[in-house]
Amino acid sequence: MQNHDESVSELNRRTFLHSAVSGVAIGIAARVGIELGVPTMLEAQTNLSPDAALKELLAGNERFAANRLTSVEHDLEVLKEHTADKQQPFAAVLACADSRVPVELIFDQTIGHIFVARVAGNMVTPEIIATLEYGVAVLGVKVLLVLGHTNCGAVKAAMKSDTVPGQISVLYKHLRPAVEKSGGSLDKAISLNAEHQAELLRTSSTVVRDALKGGKVKVVSGVYDLASGEVTVK
Ligand SMILES: [Zn+2]
């Protein structure tokens, strides 16, 4: 926190100097607003409630789906500078490795805002649990979202259970519980899998369990629709 406060005042100072040097009085407020928009958001992250963190994610997805992205307007240089030594993401997302699910983009977020773990079929493994536990216990993310997506190749492959090269079939066993309950529906298997993996996180991680008990985090599952760009959460 202290570092953060320092960085805010440093930014204030630099903003002031920059404004003073450039001698442009008009626009100072705007510039301060723009430049301070970043640390203000970072500061807010630590204060967000789990519900507010989820709301923030979903609001970003609404902007994305409506083609009204705002994250691209952030000054990347300022962002990099202020996230080089630390990170304060407000959310963690476990998503599929699918190239059509660029997590930061679909939630209209930029550097330092989301802690992302990706693996085919967005499944919970010991390594993924360890990764997300770091997000919760060390970084203090307020919401954990397990995100499946329509037309997921991993789930589709697990449903067919065909012979596949290399170690690809290792994925199947993680996806089987959802596939078995899906009644042969791919959409249902995808949604059930996200729910199943979220439940695994809630129950098999002591860190997540304790954070849930203390009201410090929220674990939700959702599905991203490749066609509409919309995320639906449960
Ligand atoms: Zn997938």
Side-chain angles (χ1 to χ4, degrees):
M1 263 331 274
Q2 203 188 345
N3 284 345
H4 179 235
D5 289 340
E6 277 168 15
S7 66
V8 170
S9 42
E10 172 61 14
L11 191 67
N12 265 321
R13 193 182 66 81
R14 287 180 42 227
T15 304
F16 172 76
L17 286 176
H18 181 253
S19 304
V21 168
S22 64
V24 181
I26 295 172
I28 286 179
R31 190 179 296 114
V32 167
I34 290 164
E35 295 195 6
L36 289 186
V38 176
T40 298
M41 278 176 73
L42 289 176
E43 190 174 44
Q45 285 166 16
T46 56
N47 299 325
L48 282 182
S49 68
D51 283 335
L54 178 60
K55 220 172 148 189
E56 175 71 22
L57 266 187
L58 296 179
N61 176 248
E62 272 178 32
R63 293 194 298 273
F64 169 76
N67 209 8
R68 287 187 284 107
L69 293 176
T70 58
S71 57
V72 288
E73 291 161 15
H74 289 256
D75 184 328
L76 288 185
E77 284 311 311
V78 173
L79 274 170
K80 283 179 198 159
E81 204 175 298
H82 289 273
T83 50
D85 298 328
K86 63 185 185 305
Q87 53 170 330
Q88 294 176 303
F90 68 90
V93 177
L94 167 57
C96 183
D98 194 297
S99 63
R100 299 163 295 179
V101 190
V103 179
E104 284 85 352
L105 185 62
I106 67 173
F107 289 108
D108 191 26
Q109 300 296 326
T110 185
I111 296 170
H113 289 183
I114 320 184
F115 189 69
V116 182
R118 293 178 70 170
V119 60
N122 42 275
M123 57 188 57
V124 169
T125 67
E127 293 80 3
I128 292 287
I129 289 178
T131 302
L132 295 174
E133 283 183 338
Y134 181 80
V136 172
V138 181
L139 304 178
V141 298
K142 296 298 192 296
V143 63
L144 275 178
L145 168 65
V146 179
L147 187 65
H149 66 95
T150 55
N151 210 16
C152 180
V155 176
K156 218 187 270 183
M159 288 182 92
K160 283 188 196 156
S161 224
D162 287 343
T163 308
V164 280
Q167 299 184 33
I168 296 174
S169 62
V170 166
L171 303 172
Y172 293 176
K173 67 170 186 272
H174 298 276
L175 300 168
R176 201 150 290 141
V179 168
E180 280 168 7
K181 282 193 253 166
S182 69
S185 157
L186 176 61
D187 285 344
K188 211 166 170 190
I190 287 162
S191 166
L192 285 170
N193 180 52
E195 280 176 48
H196 172 69
Q197 305 300 340
E199 190 55 23
L200 272 180
L201 271 180
R202 290 186 198 104
T203 53
S204 58
S205 160
T206 50
V207 168
V208 173
R209 216 162 50 202
D210 289 351
L212 273 170
K213 264 189 219 157
K216 290 178 183 160
V217 77
K218 199 179 171 92
V219 180
V220 290
S221 65
V223 174
Y224 171 64
D225 187 319
L226 293 180
S228 69
E230 286 166 14
V231 169
T232 311
V233 293
K234 290 229 166 175

